[in-house]
């Protein structure tokens, strides 16, 4: 059961991060297409958002390892 809980935690974290990153990047590209002069500001905000979204799978892996070992 611990192995299954670890796999679910990691898998759902990766799934959510993949969807989140896709939405963030697509909206950034859309914003750049509408207002090219804001490219640098939009990219900066995008990179901050992607970094925050990528923290979730890392936390999921840590919890997965803790579930498996605990």
């Amino acid at each position: 059961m611990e192995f299954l809980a670890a796999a679910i935690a990691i898998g759902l974290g990766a799934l959510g991060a993949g969807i989140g990153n896709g939405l963030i990047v697509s909206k950034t590209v859309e914003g750049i297409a509408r207002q090219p002069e804001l490219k640098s500001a939009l990219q900066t905000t995008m990179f901050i958002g992607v970094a925050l979204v990528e923290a979730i799978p890392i936390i999921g892996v840590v919890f997965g390892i803790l579930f498996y070992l605990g």
Side-chain angles (χ1 to χ4, degrees):
M1 276 317 250
E2 292 87 15
F3 184 71
L4 181 62
I8 290 172
I10 294 169
L12 289 178
L15 178 68
I19 292 170
N21 282 336
L23 289 172
I24 290 170
V25 173
S26 71
K27 295 299 180 179
T28 302
V29 170
E30 185 178 313
I32 291 171
R34 289 176 186 255
Q35 294 184 333
E37 66 274 4
L38 294 177
K39 179 182 177 184
S40 63
L42 290 172
Q43 281 182 337
T44 302
T45 305
M46 179 196 72
F47 287 131
I48 293 170
V50 166
L52 292 173
V53 168
E54 282 299 320
I56 293 172
I58 294 169
I59 293 169
V61 169
V62 171
F63 281 150
I65 291 170
L66 290 175
F67 288 155
Y68 182 68
L69 296 177

